[in-house]
Amino acid sequence: MAIVVGTIIGSGIFSTPSLILAAVGSVGMSMVVWVLGAVVSVCACVAYMELGTMLPRSGGEKEYLQAAFPRPRALLPFVFCLSSLAVGSPSGLAADSAVTGTYFMYAATGRSVEHSEWAQRAIGVAVALFCTLMHGFFVRAAIRLQSVLTVVKVLLLVLIVAVGFGVGIKRGTRGFGDAFAGTSTHPSAYVSALFKVFFAYSGYTALNYSIDELRNPVRNLPRAALGGLLITATLYVLSNAAYFVVLDEAAVRNASTAVAGVFFTEAFGALWGQRVVPLLIGLATLGNVMCGMFSASRVLFEAAREGYLPWSRVLGSISRFQSPLVALAVSCTLTIVYIVTPPAGEAYAFLIDIGGYPVWLFYGLAVVGLLIMRRSHRDLVRPFRAWHVANGVTIATAVFMCVVPFVKPESDDGEIPYWAAPLAALAFILLSCVLCQFKMDFLKPVFESGRIDFAGQGHASKLTTVLVAGAGVVSLVIGFAMQRLELCFYVFAVGVVLTYAVVLPPWPFFRKQPVTWLERKTSDAPLADAGPRRTLVEDVSDDNSD
């Protein structure tokens, strides 16, 4: 439960309330959106509890999609791994790292806004590197530090609720007068708000990605996931109410991503509100980056062991420190790319939106696959069965979150067009699908015929490294020439995907042994090229299973 609570509570509750209020237009509707987000998150969590206890294998959606959609072979797991590793996970980690920089700058300068953009990003890069080093070389210390920072986060939220309650009794509410005045009626406003709410609630599926390291997952997964989410959701709703009790609507709007700091400044004065508490909030969001880096590296690690990525033996290896060191390094590198490339001013909202789109697309597909497997795999033991209402709500929300972002909002005066984030995410997913099919239709017959012979992965990996470096140089030239640094990321991402698709052999499709957990469960064949399985963190389940 500590890992779930620690993963959920991050920068979202301390930074997104002002962005959500600006999107929906009123205090009352902002509270409704937070409650709605909690209800939908509980429904999705219940569905993932059935998936996790039915297929108790690390990897999350990768395993669920392969079991539910075996044809085309490995298509959806391949696309999920690529999208999660290149878009979903690093963008969320970058957003949390950026907010950590914001609050550390707040503590250093005493100002909630008007910070140096690149100073915040530099702190964010340092945070990502620190979390990687801790998880890579000091595994047990990192787990203990996560637990300590989780306690800090929970205590901060409890303090926010207590302060709001005390101020409300003393002088009444400030932000709840005419609570629904100015409420937006445009659907795109609610998509923007819900992306940020779901970003704040994300993390309840953390154990699904590392379930191999959890003892007795049938018992502990539902308890930890649902219990952690319910505790966090209660604290979130009460914390938002406390913000509007202490601050008026204008103060919340103007606070940008430092609303918690402004809240404590109003409640405790300059010393505590501008120095001490922002430092604690920065440490709390750092704890969320640590939890997120833990989960992201495990997804990459499992994807490599299953053969979905190049250099599978390297990326799927365990270091002498009992950690997936190379997978951590790759996750950290991608996170840093997302920290430094988005344009200034709207970087935080952009990172949330571009990362949230593929998350909800695969949430919906995973739950659809759950319904399919109830018919196609009736013999699987289901210790927990999700409610039909929960499945329906999750699928409906996924459709809403994937379609409505392309609807033009009432006003689009930002630096980044409203369609940029969802279009970039969707284009990446579609391109991955096309290239995966291209590998199957064209490259696979070529390799099987023997017309191209690679000595293992050596020559392909060397050529890939050269071409990826070339894509990086080209992307920098294009970005600086057009004075739009964010274009560097788009060009580089496309270059990497094209390189991987064209140069490397389609390794997942040539494996002789079963590649899915479901197939391995009913087969005596060993996991190909993976070697003996080893537990990464021996004491994770002991410290966090409850």
Side-chain angles (χ1 to χ4, degrees):
M1 188 178 294
I3 284 183
V4 175
V5 174
T7 305
I8 296 176
I9 301 177
S11 66
I13 187 59
F14 302 118
S15 57
T16 59
S18 60
L19 304 177
I20 293 167
L21 176 62
V24 299
S26 69
V27 173
M29 187 52 66
S30 177
M31 293 297 302
V32 170
V33 168
W34 278 98
V35 173
L36 178 62
V39 173
V40 173
S41 297
V42 168
C43 291
C45 180
V46 168
Y48 269 69
M49 285 159 53
E50 178 176 343
L51 286 167
T53 54
M54 179 177 64
L55 302 174
R57 168 79 176 177
S58 293
E61 288 90 339
K62 175 181 69 65
E63 294 292 336
Y64 311 149
L65 293 173
Q66 182 59 65
F69 304 100
R71 297 288 183 273
R73 177 71 169 176
L75 173 63
L76 288 181
F78 175 84
V79 174
F80 164 74
C81 290
L82 213 57
S83 300
S84 176
L85 300 175
V87 180
S89 295
S91 64
L93 290 171
D96 285 332
S97 300
V99 170
T100 304
T102 298
Y103 275 101
F104 282 159
M105 288 294 293
Y106 192 177
T109 64
R111 299 192 307 271
S112 62
V113 293
E114 300 178 357
H115 300 147
S116 169
E117 180 78 23
W118 285 104
Q120 295 179 43
R121 298 191 187 200
I123 295 174
V125 170
V127 166
L129 290 172
F130 171 79
C131 295
T132 302
L133 293 175
M134 287 296 296
H135 280 305
F137 297 99
F138 310 99
V139 179
R140 294 186 179 181
I143 296 297
R144 295 188 183 97
L145 181 58
Q146 279 183 206
S147 300
V148 171
L149 294 178
T150 297
V151 173
V152 172
K153 290 187 281 188
V154 173
L155 291 179
L156 279 172
L157 291 183
V158 171
L159 181 60
I160 290 173
V161 174
V163 169
F165 183 76
V167 172
I169 292 177
K170 183 177 179 179
R171 70 185 188 192
T173 62
R174 298 184 62 179
F176 282 101
D178 199 6
F180 289 91
T183 299
S184 174
T185 57
H186 201 278
S188 63
Y190 293 93
V191 168
S192 176
L194 285 172
F195 268 133
K196 295 164 181 63
V197 169
F198 291 138
F199 171 75
Y201 281 115
S202 63
Y204 49 85
T205 62
L207 293 180
N208 290 73
Y209 301 119
S210 56
I211 201 168
D212 281 350
E213 302 173 45
L214 184 66
R215 289 185 180 176
N216 194 359
V218 172
R219 178 179 67 91
N220 289 326
L221 178 64
R223 290 172 55 189
L226 189 57
L229 177 59
L230 291 176
I231 291 172
T232 308
T234 302
L235 290 173
Y236 275 11
V237 174
L238 294 177
S239 296
N240 275 276
Y243 287 146
F244 294 116
V245 167
V246 175
L247 303 173
D248 57 30
E249 182 177 344
V252 175
R253 287 179 182 270
N254 296 331
S256 185
T257 57
V259 62
V262 175
F263 170 87
F264 281 111
T265 301
E266 179 71 19
F268 295 131
L271 176 61
W272 281 87
Q274 296 179 358
R275 303 292 183 179
V276 178
V277 175
L279 179 61
L280 294 176
I281 295 174
L283 291 173
T285 55
L286 184 149
N288 189 253
V289 178
M290 290 195 70
C291 293
M293 194 70 73
F294 178 91
S295 298
S297 65
R298 267 55 181 180
V299 174
L300 193 154
F301 174 81
E302 286 292 330
R305 288 174 68 88
E306 301 291 355
Y308 291 108
L309 298 174
W311 309 289
S312 59
R313 284 189 176 275
V314 177
L315 292 174
S317 63
I318 300 174
S319 72
R320 65 186 182 90
F321 302 99
Q322 291 295 292
S323 65
L325 190 58
V326 179
L328 281 165
V330 173
S331 297
C332 178
T333 302
L334 293 173
T335 299
I336 292 174
V337 170
Y338 273 90
I339 292 174
V340 300
T341 53
E346 300 179 8
Y348 183 70
F350 177 77
L351 289 172
I352 293 175
D353 291 343
I354 194 174
Y357 191 91
V359 166
W360 274 99
L361 176 62
F362 289 109
Y363 274 3
L365 288 175
V367 179
V368 170
L370 170 64
L371 300 179
I372 292 175
M373 283 190 287
R374 285 185 177 180
R375 293 180 174 273
S376 61
H377 298 87
R378 297 177 183 271
D379 56 326
L380 282 177
V381 177
R382 292 172 172 81
F384 181 89
R385 193 176 183 89
W387 319 310
H388 293 296
V389 173
N391 296 331
V393 168
T394 305
I395 294 172
T397 303
V399 172
F400 181 80
M401 299 297 290
C402 292
V403 173
V404 179
F406 293 98
V407 177
K408 185 176 182 179
E410 294 176 312
S411 61
D412 184 28
D413 53 359
E415 297 180 7
I416 305 175
Y418 71 94
W419 43 263
L423 182 61
L426 182 61
F428 190 91
I429 292 170
L430 293 177
L431 179 63
S432 300
C433 292
V434 172
L435 293 178
C436 181
Q437 198 61 38
F438 169 76
K439 289 160 69 72
M440 288 294 291
D441 293 341
F442 175 73
L443 287 182
K444 182 177 178 180
V446 170
F447 278 89
E448 287 179 336
S449 66
R451 283 179 284 168
I452 298 179
D453 181 25
F454 284 120
Q457 296 188 41
H459 298 300
S461 298
K462 291 177 183 178
L463 182 57
T464 301
T465 302
V466 173
L467 293 181
V468 167
V473 173
V474 172
S475 67
L476 285 173
V477 171
I478 294 175
F480 281 111
M482 300 184 66
Q483 296 182 348
R484 294 293 299 274
L485 191 59
E486 68 273 15
L487 289 178
C488 297
F489 166 71
Y490 300 135
V491 176
F492 180 72
V494 171
V496 170
V497 175
L498 287 172
T499 299
Y500 174 47
V502 174
V503 176
L504 290 178
W507 301 111
F509 313 108
F510 293 139
R511 305 175 70 90
K512 302 303 182 182
Q513 290 85 1
V515 298
T516 70
W517 178 90
L518 190 62
E519 291 171 342
R520 285 195 298 273
K521 183 180 178 183
T522 57
S523 171
D524 294 330
L527 177 62
D529 300 328
R533 297 196 60 83
R534 296 162 60 190
T535 302
L536 297 177
V537 183
E538 298 290 340
D539 60 347
V540 168
S541 57
D542 293 337
D543 293 341
N544 301 293
S545 62
D546 292 330

